Amino acid sequence: MNPAETMSKKILQYAIGQDASDIHFSPLSKQTDIYLRIQGNRIFYKTIPTSTYQLLLTFYKFTSAMDIGETRKPQNGTITFQFADQFFDLRLSTLPVKQMESLAIRILPQQEGLSLHQLFLFPNQLHHLLSWITRRSGLILINGPTGSGKTTMLYAILHALQRQKSFQTITLEDPIEKDLEQVLQVQINEKAGITYQSGFKAALRHDPDIIMVGEIRDSPTAKFALEASLSGHLVLSTIHASHALGTLYRLKSLGLMMTDLQQALIAIASIQLIPFETVKHGLKRAAILELLDESLLSTYFQKDVNWQIKKYHSFTHLRKKAFAYGFITKETFLDLQE
């Protein structure tokens, strides 16, 4: 085992042991700082000489099938790493900075993920979600910042659906973050001509019951998702928006008509992870959701000015509720308010 491989193993094992989701290498002129993303916080880990980092970067680029000689363009690659009895997919991304390249590694556990029951801070929000996924057609959207658990939630939903019944399920992902049994997973590869749009067209020819789109990024993908949901398919996807209501404005900016959305949308969930202490496992994170279900959406589309007074619970309301119930400390509550 060469020195770069040995160092890589130590860094990865430490990061996994700390339950880190990401590793950031930030190169300076003579040193490179390494940070870990743990429970949503970016925490300093250690400093290594930049000369050592260059050897480490070369090792990562070689093992993940990147172009070692290319330093002027961003690159992506994937490595499988085993620690103890668990396997992890490592998603690597380089970014040119000044005369060097920074490196970010996303750590994706491949063992069976959390169930839906383990994801939510408030059980009643889970009950709402379970009622949505009993529908045979329509559009369910999840939004939230990077690392908030959108894909984890989608995988958990698909797992719950497959346990109910044998559905023909197809996913379009960039990248595929975890292998799912009894699910047809399509890796988006724009260089090879496999875009979300072309993948959508091909998926519809496979008679799917459920289609999961990793992310609605542009107008054509949004329109395909809408058309599929209106033609008898259950479509699940994520979209970037600041909050649940902001999703509607985002969809409108992508060219979708509110009249079509009124027919297709089952619900919108905006996700935020908040840290809380557990007796058995210490600090963990669970999801709170801003929920727009059909009843709220219908009153919104009807332009009822009082649509959100009684039922719509914002993140501010939910954080106050978590603090009142003793799920989070006052310090955590104040930090989340900032």
Side-chain angles (χ1 to χ4, degrees), residues 182-194:
Q182 300 177 338
V183 173
L184 302 177
Q185 294 176 273
V186 179
Q187 169 71 56
I188 299 301
N189 185 343
E190 295 188 357
K191 290 182 179 179
I194 305 175

Side-chain angles (χ1 to χ4, degrees), residues 190-207:
E190 295 188 357
K191 290 182 179 179
I194 305 175
T195 64
Y196 276 114
Q197 297 95 296
S198 63
F200 237 128
K201 290 181 180 178
L204 290 175
R205 291 193 286 268
H206 275 66
D207 186 31

